[in-house]
Amino acid sequence: MKFFIDTANLDQIKEAQDLGVLDGVTTNPSLMAKEGITGEQNVLNHYKAICAIVDDNVSAEVISTTYEEMIREGEALAALDPKIVVKIPMIKDGVKAIKYLTSKGIRTNCTLIFSPGQALLAAKAGASYVSPFLGRLDDISTDGLQLIEDIRIIFDNYQYKTEILAASIRGPLHIVNCAKIGADVITGPLSAITALLKHPLTDTGLAQFLADHKKAAEAAK
Ligand code: E4P
């Protein structure tokens, strides 16, 4: 399973990269705005800065919504760095743009997926990734994990190469449940990834090991 971090914050991306388990980054216009990144050139420079930190898979989202504009924006983003994956919303022109960009060898991530049918369309258009938003479905009392299970079945039925990128992850249990049902990738905040480290028995067990070691070393003096 691949781990992506869902942020545009360079410090958090560096921290996740340093942990040695990071496979990529996803951003969106809201995450860029949260970091105060505005203006076309600043946005492009920020993507370049992210690409300089990680090994691959930097999802950069278009902000236009027409086919022609998405193509123009997508090609400009892809030209920044080979690590860029162009993130395209699940709308009619988006599907057409995914088809076009794929034919040009540009990787795409179809975002804002909330139904199996949307995922199927994106896969048929050749998307490299589909991003079902697990947490946002859970937020409205709908089973987000069920959506990911349904997409897994559909993609396996037809051997689609499109990877399922479970997005809108809220915590460590989401990550574990996604791994159990075969999502190819998760993207979440740094806090969800580092929460996987934690177990109270690990902490008490380690404290006991170190105390026993110290006691034995003192007794041997
Ligand atoms: C996906 O790529 C999105 O950036 C993201 O996961 C949205 O998550 P949110 O529901 O926490 O905003």
Side-chain angles (χ1 to χ4, degrees):
M1 177 186 241
K2 292 182 201 165
F3 275 29
F4 293 175
I5 187 169
D6 197 27
T7 184
N9 182 285
L10 297 181
D11 290 337
Q12 289 186 18
I13 294 169
K14 279 184 201 134
E15 193 178 332
Q17 176 69 15
D18 284 350
L19 193 59
V21 298
L22 194 67
D23 300 292
V25 179
T26 51
T27 60
N28 63 41
S30 303
L31 293 171
M32 294 292 272
K34 194 173 162 192
E35 298 306 314
I37 315 294
T38 55
E40 198 171 335
Q41 198 50 51
N42 290 337
V43 168
L44 297 181
N45 289 343
H46 199 74
Y47 284 133
K48 280 199 218 164
I50 295 175
C51 288
I53 301 171
V54 298
D55 300 331
D56 195 13
N57 291 307
V58 176
S59 277
E61 186 160 344
V62 299
I63 48 164
S64 40
T65 53
T66 63
Y67 173 71
E68 290 76 14
E69 275 299 293
M70 280 190 266
I71 296 299
R72 186 200 62 77
E73 218 186 318
E75 287 182 327
L77 289 168
L80 284 177
D81 194 294
K83 296 174 189 172
I84 293 283
V85 178
V86 179
K87 205 170 174 190
I88 304 270
M90 170 34 78
I91 54 176
K92 189 175 172 188
D93 278 25
V95 173
K96 289 163 63 179
I98 289 167
K99 180 85 183 172
Y100 175 85
L101 293 170
T102 304
S103 76
K104 297 289 171 197
I106 294 172
R107 291 179 295 167
T108 57
N109 171 359
C110 187
T111 190
L112 292 165
I113 295 282
F114 292 96
S115 79
Q118 291 179 322
L120 177 57
L121 265 184
K124 278 193 69 68
S128 315
Y129 298 99
V130 287
S131 289
F133 277 34
L134 176 53
R136 290 195 194 185
L137 283 170
D138 285 359
D139 290 346
I140 57 160
S141 305
T142 304
D143 190 349
L145 274 179
Q146 185 59 54
L147 170 61
I148 292 169
E149 275 191 77
D150 290 346
I151 299 172
R152 180 75 283 152
I153 291 167
I154 292 169
F155 285 9
D156 288 351
N157 279 349
Y158 298 100
Q159 283 93 49
Y160 284 121
K161 289 196 180 72
T162 304
E163 293 185 59
I164 302 173
L165 197 177
S168 186
I169 291 280
R170 301 278 190 251
L173 207 52
H174 268 166
I175 299 178
V176 171
N177 284 331
C178 284
K180 281 160 76 173
I181 59 176
D184 299 292
V185 193
I186 61 89
T187 189
L190 182 62
S191 58
I193 297 170
T194 54
L196 292 171
L197 287 163
K198 294 177 193 151
H199 196 288
L201 291 178
T202 304
D203 297 339
T204 54
L206 181 60
Q208 185 70 55
F209 287 156
L210 296 179
D212 289 346
H213 170 77
K214 194 173 168 199
K215 214 157 96 186
E218 273 162 11
K221 275 182 193 163

